[in-house]
Amino acid sequence: MQFCTLENQTILTLCELFNEAFSDYFVKIDLTPEMLQEKFDSENIDLKLSAEAFNEGKPVAFIFHAVRKNRAYNAGTGVIPDFRGKNITSRMYEFIRPKLKSAGVEEVVLEVINKNTPAIKSYEKAGFSKVVDLNCYKGKIKGKPVNQAVQIKKLSTFDFNLAQSFWDWQPTWQHSTQTIRQLKTYTTFSAVLNDKPVGYFVVNLQKGRVVQFAVHPDYRRQGIGTELFRFVSENYDLELQVMNVDGASRETASFLKNLELELFITQYKMKLELNKLNK
């Protein structure tokens, strides 16, 4: 088995490898080269700090790492079906770990579906540990307005620094403010009460994928969050998917349960602390 970084690989080659590795995944994935390139650009994937495994000249596995400052995100790991069970993921990490540390990376984070036991064991063998559950919900929101004093406005610009003051928990890498700003596929809605923005909601209107939402702590339990969800779901006829909600937030879980959204996927967030590993 040979290993290398990815900066000299074409996007077409990487896309074909990605699709082959995910051909039997829990959730159907079939990317085009354009979609993969958008992922690279929006998530800050660094191909010089990503890895690939070859067997007799054939690419059989990969890890994509996105890097921001001293933190890396495993934006995708895949092994084609015929080469699973051979510890390739942990071997790719043995190869790439020194390069990550030399680049100043102190930790690597990732998400993995909790039913994907083989992947979890591979990550644990590479030194990752579970840190939090991430829950994903879906459903359509119906019903009459619950707070008619709230105005919902579609925005062209938004103060995300203000939004962060509403947070109880941090969004994951793919749903971070930096990623949202680098993509043009998301739409932001603001909830306004007495001319004051008191909540917001960020969604991909084509897919119904909700990536951020929050209400100012002083204005909760007034139907403001419900109005945001109801307005978007009804006006755009969408089944919403609310992704990667921090499982430790009981308040958020209770809110989504009251909206009668279905919990359909749970993931683990896992972390690898490079400075705690033996050199």
Side-chain angles (χ1 to χ4, degrees):
M1 194 75 64
Q2 300 83 40
F3 303 93
C4 71
T5 53
L6 300 181
E7 67 271 21
N8 295 319
Q9 298 295 331
T10 67
I11 191 69
L12 180 59
T13 297
L14 293 176
C15 189
E16 290 174 348
L17 175 59
F18 184 99
N19 286 333
E20 184 176 1
F22 281 89
S23 59
D24 57 351
Y25 194 52
F26 296 91
V27 180
K28 180 176 173 57
I29 298 177
D30 187 15
L31 297 187
T32 64
E34 292 76 18
M35 292 165 66
L36 185 59
Q37 186 63 58
E38 180 180 69
K39 177 179 175 69
F40 287 174
D41 294 340
S42 64
E43 296 175 19
N44 299 109
I45 290 175
D46 188 338
L47 297 179
K48 293 180 181 178
L49 295 175
S50 301
E52 190 171 30
F54 287 83
N55 183 69
E56 297 180 353
K58 175 182 171 61
V60 298
F62 67 89
I63 298 171
F64 296 147
H65 280 134
V67 179
R68 293 172 184 162
K69 297 183 179 179
N70 63 347
R71 196 162 179 249
Y73 170 64
N74 181 325
T77 296
V79 180
I80 67 174
D82 288 347
F83 284 84
R84 293 175 189 160
K86 301 180 185 295
N87 297 322
I88 293 177
T89 296
S90 59
R91 293 169 69 185
M92 284 192 290
Y93 266 106
E94 288 177 7
F95 164 76
I96 202 65
R97 210 157 44 212
K99 300 180 188 301
L100 290 167
K101 292 185 71 172
S102 295
V105 174
E106 297 177 1
E107 68 175 33
V108 185
V109 295
L110 59 82
E111 297 108 36
V112 57
I113 292 176
N114 67 344
K115 294 180 180 179
N116 193 349
T117 302
I120 293 167
K121 289 182 177 179
S122 294
Y123 292 133
E124 288 176 336
K125 188 164 186 176
F128 284 85
S129 58
K130 301 170 189 173
V131 291
V132 72
D133 291 351
L134 298 169
N135 296 322
C136 304
Y137 300 81
K138 67 180 180 179
K140 272 195 170 185
I141 314 300
K142 300 178 180 179
K144 297 179 180 179
V146 294
N147 188 333
Q148 296 186 353
V150 177
Q151 291 181 297
I152 308 300
K153 297 182 177 181
K154 181 179 177 181
L155 304 178
S156 57
T157 60
F158 184 65
D159 183 358
F160 278 98
N161 291 324
L162 172 65
Q164 290 180 31
S165 70
F166 299 173
W167 291 355
D168 288 338
W169 45 272
Q170 294 276 340
T172 53
W173 191 287
Q174 290 175 303
H175 306 151
S176 67
T177 299
Q178 184 169 341
T179 301
I180 290 170
R181 283 173 168 161
Q182 291 171 181
L183 277 172
K184 298 179 180 179
T185 54
Y186 293 115
T187 302
T188 302
F189 295 85
S190 177
V192 179
L193 186 63
N194 299 324
D195 297 321
K196 179 178 180 179
V198 294
Y200 81 107
F201 185 96
V202 184
V203 59
N204 181 320
L205 289 175
Q206 291 184 322
K207 299 179 179 179
R209 187 182 181 101
V210 181
V211 294
Q212 285 191 21
F213 65 96
V215 173
H216 189 292
D218 294 342
Y219 292 87
R220 294 176 186 169
R221 299 176 183 85
Q222 298 179 34
I224 292 167
T226 301
E227 284 302 299
L228 280 163
F229 275 80
R230 187 195 62 79
F231 178 90
V232 175
S233 185
E234 288 195 356
N235 282 274
Y236 294 89
D237 191 26
L238 289 175
E239 178 180 82
L240 299 175
Q241 293 188 355
V242 188
M243 308 305 294
N244 291 352
V245 175
D246 191 322
S249 176
R250 294 182 179 179
E251 185 174 7
T252 306
S254 177
F255 167 70
L256 295 172
K257 182 179 179 180
N258 288 337
L259 289 177
E260 298 184 353
L261 296 181
E262 173 194 355
L263 173 62
F264 74 104
I265 289 177
T266 294
Q267 300 197 100
Y268 296 128
K269 178 179 178 181
M270 303 186 75
K271 181 166 66 173
L272 171 66
E273 297 183 85
L274 295 176
N275 292 334
K276 291 187 178 181
L277 295 174
N278 294 328
K279 295 183 179 179

